[in-house]
Amino acid sequence: MEEIVEQTELLLQDGSTPQLKKYLNSLNISDVAELIDELPEHGPTLVETISLNRAVNVFRILDFPTQERIIKKLSGKRVADLINELPPDDRTSLFSEMHGDTVSTLILHLSPEDRKEALALLGYKEDSVGRLMTPDYIAVKKTWDVTRVLSHIRRYGKNSETIDVIYVVDENGVLLDDIRIREILLVKPETKIIDLMDSRLIALKVTDPQEEAINVFRMNNRTALPVTDNDDVLLGIVTVDDILWIANEEYTEDIQKIGGTEALDEPYLDINLFRLVRKRVGWLIILFLSEMLTSSAMQYFSDEIATVVALTFFIPLIMSSGGNSGSQASTLIIQAMALGEVTIADWWRVMRRELLSGLMLGVILGVIGFFRIYLWSLASNIYGEHSLLVAFTVGLSLIGIVLWGSLAGSMLPIVMKRLRLDPATSSAPFVATLVDVTGLIIYFSMALVIMHDVIHKHAA
């Protein structure tokens, strides 16, 4: 890539547009896109210079901030050509990210038919399959023979998003089946389409959430899926390249939410500093106020702390162990739900597994904690005359706290999903804060039980 960048910079310095165009047209589309990332100040020039078809293919794989930056600096003619040549689904994706006034200006570059199509696609809910679909597909009738189908493909296939799959519809446009092109190519020309239909149809509804579409593509080996309305009328198709983009966006958004921040919606280095702070400060304030409950819990048990000072040495250990186990469980369940491996109906199976795994993890940490305190006290008596009771308190508390952390971390995402909220918002920091507070209550309650006599003796 370094060689490509250097060669491009030389051609830009020479000002030889024909040579630059020839060189850019010889590169892979992905190389040109990467070149725009490497030379952002020359991005508009590069898009303006290459052939229109290649410019469209480059433009559609750029991230939105780069698209927006480039489109603002292109000539009016190039913008019009680019917008008109973009596939409907990519055009809809671009328009949905832009401000209303900009969209109004860009839509004027479209033909009346394309303008009507763009407005119809923008009319669907933002996170629905309707926003992803393209109306460019090949549809045939079940009574046609293969010869007629191939003739139809030759005539209209150029404008189709894909010809890998052909869709069979009736006279009312109702979807009957989909047939892969290879099945059509491998039979005799006189074969009727109805003889190739197997009724193993998989289709999306135009109102389906995009996340659901991702799961359908993941479970089925398809390059495209048809999209229908509630009456099964074929409206368009969704292709796997669009699903991959959405899946990447969903993954990025979930990772950011798991980290305890709102989704950025823009690359980290492109987002305005004040917007970045605003995206992060909300959760920080909530978590900060929640952590104040930790102080309240410690104040409640202040007498016990004053009596057995050694108990305070292990507060960070207790809090971190519970928070870590909760964060682990929360992350695992959120990821499993995103992949469709776990649903709300699986809550009891999840709880049962976390009860057992949390108990085993707690016992392991509890034993380590017990022997660590016990052996250190034998060597230096650092924890005072009641070190054995302190060791039992810490060991048993760890069992309870790790168990509780595992249960809380695994159940919170399921509860959030049940409440129709994003499971990722029950993020690791949120779970850790919850378990911190409850962990202290478990710890000092355990101390009251095990060290009851010691505490009351000192109190008296």
Side-chain angles (χ1 to χ4, degrees):
M1 191 62 209
E2 187 176 340
E3 183 180 336
I4 293 175
V5 172
E6 290 177 358
Q7 181 64 29
T8 304
E9 286 179 323
L10 286 174
L11 291 171
L12 286 166
Q13 288 172 8
D14 292 342
S16 176
T17 302
Q19 285 195 353
L20 178 62
K21 182 174 183 177
K22 183 179 178 181
Y23 179 68
L24 292 175
N25 286 338
S26 69
L27 299 175
N28 292 326
I29 295 298
S30 56
D31 288 335
V32 180
E34 194 171 344
L35 194 57
I36 291 172
D37 287 336
E38 293 287 337
L39 303 170
E41 69 279 11
H42 297 296
T45 303
L46 300 180
V47 173
E48 193 88 48
T49 303
I50 58 176
S51 63
L52 179 59
N53 182 57
R54 290 173 62 80
V56 169
N57 288 319
V58 169
F59 187 81
R60 63 189 296 204
I61 63 174
L62 299 174
D63 57 50
F64 171 69
T66 305
Q67 289 179 332
E68 187 177 35
R69 187 172 64 247
I70 287 174
I71 212 164
K72 286 179 178 178
K73 296 185 179 180
L74 291 178
S75 65
K77 184 180 183 308
R78 195 58 162 184
V79 170
D81 292 340
L82 203 60
I83 294 300
N84 275 282
E85 290 298 320
L86 273 177
D89 51 341
D90 293 304
R91 190 190 298 143
T92 303
S93 177
L94 175 66
F95 286 173
S96 63
E97 294 282 357
M98 287 185 155
H99 295 297
D101 54 345
T102 307
V103 174
S104 300
T105 302
L106 293 176
I107 271 184
L108 294 176
H109 291 296
L110 299 174
S111 66
E113 185 179 338
D114 286 343
R115 193 179 308 160
K116 182 179 178 182
E117 178 184 86
L119 291 171
L121 292 175
L122 286 169
Y124 292 111
K125 190 177 176 182
E126 185 176 354
D127 294 325
S128 69
V129 168
R131 283 292 188 96
L132 296 179
M133 74 175 182
T134 174
D136 296 336
Y137 56 88
I138 296 293
V140 301
K141 302 293 175 59
K142 64 180 180 181
T143 55
W144 292 6
D145 60 20
V146 168
T147 300
R148 184 173 178 182
V149 169
L150 292 177
S151 176
H152 186 74
I153 292 172
R154 291 188 194 100
R155 185 174 181 182
Y156 298 104
K158 185 178 181 181
N159 297 322
S160 176
E161 181 84 2
T162 177
I163 59 170
D164 291 346
V165 184
I166 309 300
Y167 301 95
V168 186
V169 297
D170 66 11
E171 59 277 5
N172 297 315
V174 173
L175 180 64
L176 302 176
D177 205 352
D178 57 356
I179 301 174
R180 300 187 187 194
I181 190 66
R182 67 187 302 271
E183 297 175 35
I184 294 173
L185 296 174
L186 296 176
V187 297
K188 295 178 180 180
E190 63 271 16
T191 304
K192 297 287 186 182
I193 290 298
I194 193 171
D195 296 327
L196 299 177
M197 293 169 58
D198 57 16
S199 299
R200 291 202 299 266
L201 178 64
I202 301 169
L204 301 168
K205 294 295 183 186
V206 71
T207 53
D208 284 345
Q210 292 175 1
E211 283 189 27
E212 189 172 317
I214 295 171
N215 291 329
V216 174
F217 268 90
R218 185 182 289 120
M219 299 300 293
N220 299 277
N221 185 24
R222 300 296 181 99
T223 57
L225 282 175
V227 181
T228 66
D229 63 11
N230 292 329
D231 296 320
D232 294 328
V233 173
L234 182 60
L235 300 176
I237 63 172
V238 173
T239 51
V240 70
D241 58 326
D242 295 316
I243 290 298
L244 289 174
W245 276 105
I246 294 298
N248 181 63
E249 287 181 2
E250 291 286 342
Y251 173 76
T252 302
E253 184 178 307
D254 285 348
I255 289 297
Q256 289 169 350
K257 286 182 178 179
I258 286 172
T261 181
E262 293 181 42
L264 297 184
D265 302 325
E266 294 181 51
Y268 174 79
L269 292 176
D270 291 335
I271 192 170
N272 178 276
L273 179 62
F274 292 103
R275 286 194 67 214
L276 178 63
V277 171
R278 192 168 70 247
K279 292 281 187 181
R280 296 171 65 178
V281 72
W283 269 110
L284 280 178
I285 291 172
I286 292 171
L287 295 173
F288 175 75
L289 294 175
S290 300
E291 285 287 4
M292 286 184 174
L293 295 173
T294 304
S295 301
S296 300
M298 292 183 67
Q299 289 171 10
Y300 183 81
F301 293 101
S302 58
D303 292 340
E304 290 75 14
I305 293 173
T307 303
V308 187
V309 177
L311 291 174
T312 61
F313 300 161
F314 303 101
I315 289 176
L317 172 72
I318 293 295
M319 292 172 66
S320 64
S321 297
N324 290 340
S325 66
S327 298
Q328 276 187 343
S330 176
T331 303
L332 288 172
I333 298 304
I334 290 171
Q335 178 70 0
M337 292 177 77
L339 295 174
E341 298 171 354
V342 171
T343 65
I344 296 174
D346 296 318
W347 71 271
W348 172 242
R349 291 179 61 193
V350 173
M351 177 177 280
R352 194 169 54 197
R353 289 176 68 86
E354 288 303 316
L355 274 170
L356 294 173
S357 61
L359 182 61
M360 288 189 285
L361 292 168
V363 168
I364 292 170
L365 293 186
V367 169
I368 294 173
F370 174 85
F371 280 106
R372 190 272 188 198
I373 296 169
Y374 180 67
L375 292 176
W376 255 250
S377 64
L378 287 179
S380 61
N381 196 32
I382 189 174
Y383 303 121
E385 57 181 314
H386 306 297
S387 56
L388 187 60
L389 292 178
V390 172
F392 272 114
T393 299
V394 171
L396 292 174
S397 295
L398 281 170
I399 296 174
I401 289 165
V402 172
L403 174 58
W404 164 243
S406 298
L407 282 175
S410 62
M411 288 296 105
L412 265 176
I414 295 176
V415 171
M416 298 291 281
K417 186 74 172 179
R418 182 69 182 83
L419 296 174
R420 299 182 183 278
L421 300 173
D422 189 345
T425 55
S426 59
S427 56
F430 183 73
V431 172
T433 302
L434 172 65
V435 177
D436 282 351
V437 178
T438 51
L440 280 178
I441 295 172
I442 293 172
Y443 178 45
F444 287 116
S445 297
M446 188 68 70
L448 276 174
V449 173
I450 294 175
M451 308 187 72
H452 180 271
D453 293 341
V454 175
I455 291 170
H456 278 271
K457 179 180 177 182
H458 279 269

